[in-house]
Amino acid sequence: MLDHEKALLAELSARPREVRTRFAAACAERLLPLYESASESTDAGDPATLAAALDAVWAAAADGTPPPDLPGTIERLTALVPDAEDEDWDDDHAYLQNGAAVVVYACRVVLDGEVQDALWCARQVHEAADQAAQLLLDEDNTEGAYEAADASPVVRHALDGFDADLALAADTALSWPELARRLRAQARAGGVRLAELARGE
């Protein structure tokens, strides 16, 4: 487990279930723009289904009540996760995999509140950012490639986003409607920027 994951695991373990649900929803929101971009590039994926499921996660975060047939939703979403063994697999399909998987894990957080599922939401965001960083690095940069990727703008943006989202998700001074509005807007804006950075913009 990477150092940032260890720290995040400790933070999530110390937070109540509702905060973990909000954080998981924010992680999924941050990957949706990159998923949408990859879907457009590959003519694959199903952004509308993922967005609808994410809406349900945000709704559940309001009162802790899982939406009807959540296990069925998780099964349908799991079917959208591309297989790395597919013959048409490419870098954009990896983004589709991360984008679908993060919504699956977010739904699982709603269902069971497990810390590990919330951590895996964050891992999907980090994996997508790390892949983007590796693709943007000079092909000759093999020695110290991990350190270079970890210090890249796209990975730093992803990691900073975790801190920002977790802090806002745990804010007790805001009413839920206002917190939800701010958190989702923050995550969405961060996701748009993540997609731009992943494309080298």
Side-chain angles (χ1 to χ4, degrees):
M1 183 179 291
L2 301 175
D3 288 343
H4 77 269
E5 282 197 343
K6 293 178 182 177
L8 186 56
L9 178 60
E11 284 280 348
L12 291 169
S13 298
R15 303 292 186 177
R17 178 172 180 162
E18 61 267 23
V19 173
R20 294 197 292 271
T21 303
R22 296 166 190 169
F23 176 77
C27 287
E29 194 74 48
R30 281 182 178 270
L31 267 190
L32 192 57
L34 185 56
Y35 182 94
E36 292 168 341
S37 175
S39 178
E40 183 176 354
S41 297
T42 60
D43 197 27
D46 191 343
T49 295
L50 256 63
L54 185 52
D55 285 342
V57 171
W58 281 109
D63 59 10
T65 303
D69 192 30
L70 187 55
T73 297
I74 291 173
E75 184 176 351
R76 289 188 292 274
L77 292 174
T78 300
L80 294 177
V81 179
D83 188 339
E85 300 301 318
D86 290 346
E87 62 180 23
D88 60 350
W89 180 267
D90 59 14
D91 297 324
D92 278 319
H93 282 84
Y95 295 140
L96 292 178
Q97 184 183 65
N98 294 131
V102 72
V103 181
V104 171
Y105 287 127
C107 287
R108 286 171 55 171
V109 174
V110 171
L111 191 64
D112 56 32
E114 289 293 329
V115 173
Q116 190 66 55
D117 287 328
L119 183 65
W120 280 337
C121 285
R123 182 175 291 179
Q124 298 307 310
V125 179
H126 181 258
E127 283 183 356
D130 183 69
Q131 173 183 284
Q134 295 287 353
L135 292 172
L136 292 169
L137 287 172
D138 191 320
E139 290 183 356
D140 294 330
N141 184 15
T142 54
E143 184 176 353
Y146 172 78
E147 291 78 6
D150 206 41
S152 68
V154 63
V155 171
R156 298 317 309 171
H157 177 77
L159 297 180
D160 289 345
F162 298 153
D163 292 338
D165 289 345
L166 189 55
L168 186 51
D171 193 326
T172 58
L174 297 173
S175 67
W176 166 247
E178 179 61 15
L179 191 155
R181 185 190 68 78
R182 291 190 189 185
L183 181 57
R184 193 166 193 179
Q186 173 176 282
R188 182 69 184 189
V192 169
R193 183 58 185 145
L194 181 69
E196 292 171 346
L197 289 168
R199 302 299 185 192
E201 300 173 8

